[in-house]
């Protein structure tokens, strides 16, 4: 059977083959073993070898030990290491999604802020008779704007609460309030 081309080997396969070849496993056996059992099985066998060495087991034929251990493993078996890698992948995907959502929120807020600035820059001032009519309707309807009045306010680039809070227009909507009287006194003292 023809061997794979060099560019067809995965990183894991290349490392596994290199480990086998460094342990003086023949080239033919190393390639056949990797093809039959896969890189994962080779890596598990090397872990078994390292564990045996760390426990003080005397191994006269390291290559033979590893080749025997490789046969004990099934490449398709899921391990804890596989789960940890999968979790890392999912966490990376979740983080990328969170960053994407945050960027989208920031973009929307920036667009809304720009739209708000443009709205305020383009809003039209009210003629005195228009604001008096609007204020009369507001007071007559129990301090509420009718839908038609809300629409005309928005068409001019205003919001209803902005008109009610505007020092320039407040006196029309709250003619008898203490705030308006104190503003009138402020204006009189600043004019003199």
């Amino acid at each position: 059977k023809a061997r794979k081309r060099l560019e067809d080997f995965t990183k894991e396969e290349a490392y596994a083959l290199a480990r086998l070849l460094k342990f003086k496993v023949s080239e033919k056996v190393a390639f056949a073993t990797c093809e039959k059992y896969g890189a994962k099985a080779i890596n598990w066998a090397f872990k078994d070898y390292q564990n045996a060495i760390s426990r003080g087991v005397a191994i006269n034929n390291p290559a033979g030990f590893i080749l025997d251990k490789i046969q004990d493993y099934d490449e398709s078996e899921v391990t804890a290491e596989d789960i940890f890698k999968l979790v890392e992948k999912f966490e990376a995907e979740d983080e990328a999604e969170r960053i994407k959502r945050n960027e989208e929120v920031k973009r929307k807020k920036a667009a809304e802020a720009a739209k708000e600035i443009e709205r305020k820059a383009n809003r039209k001032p009210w003629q005195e008779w228009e604001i008096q009519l609007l204020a009369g309707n507001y007071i007559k309807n129990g301090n509420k704007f009718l839908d038609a009045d809300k629409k005309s306010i928005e068409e001019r680039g205003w919001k209803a609460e902005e008109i009610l809070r505007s020092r320039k227009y407040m006196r029309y909507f709250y003619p008898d309030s203490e705030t308006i009287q104190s503003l009138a006194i402020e204006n009189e003292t600043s004019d003199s």
Side-chain angles (χ1 to χ4, degrees), residues 20 22-26 29 45-46 48-50 52-53 57-71:
L20 284 176
K22 285 180 185 175
F23 266 69
K24 306 295 185 217
V25 174
S26 74
V29 171
F46 271 96
D48 285 347
Y49 173 76
Q50 293 300 330
I53 294 295
V57 175
I59 299 173
N60 296 332
N61 181 1
F65 177 90
I66 290 168
L67 289 172
D68 283 343
K69 285 293 183 180
I70 288 172
Q71 297 172 34

Side-chain angles (χ1 to χ4, degrees), residues 136-145:
N137 287 343
Y138 176 80
I139 293 166
K140 183 172 82 177
N141 292 306
N143 293 344
K144 292 181 183 172
F145 284 112

Side-chain angles (χ1 to χ4, degrees), residues 4 19 26 53 83 188:
K4 291 191 220 180
R19 290 177 93 179
S26 74
I53 294 295
I83 294 298
E188 287 175 13

Side-chain angles (χ1 to χ4, degrees), residues 5 23 40 54 56 64-65 67 70-71 79 86 95-96 105 116 120 128 130 138 140 143 147 162 168 174 178 184 188:
R5 293 176 304 154
F23 266 69
K40 193 186 287 187
S54 68
F65 177 90
L67 289 172
I70 288 172
Q71 297 172 34
T79 64
L86 187 61
E95 180 65 12
V105 167
E116 184 67 9
K120 286 182 177 181
E128 187 160 344
E130 292 173 313
Y138 176 80
K140 183 172 82 177
N143 293 344
D147 288 340
E162 288 176 326
K168 184 177 180 181
Y174 310 105
E178 291 178 19
E188 287 175 13

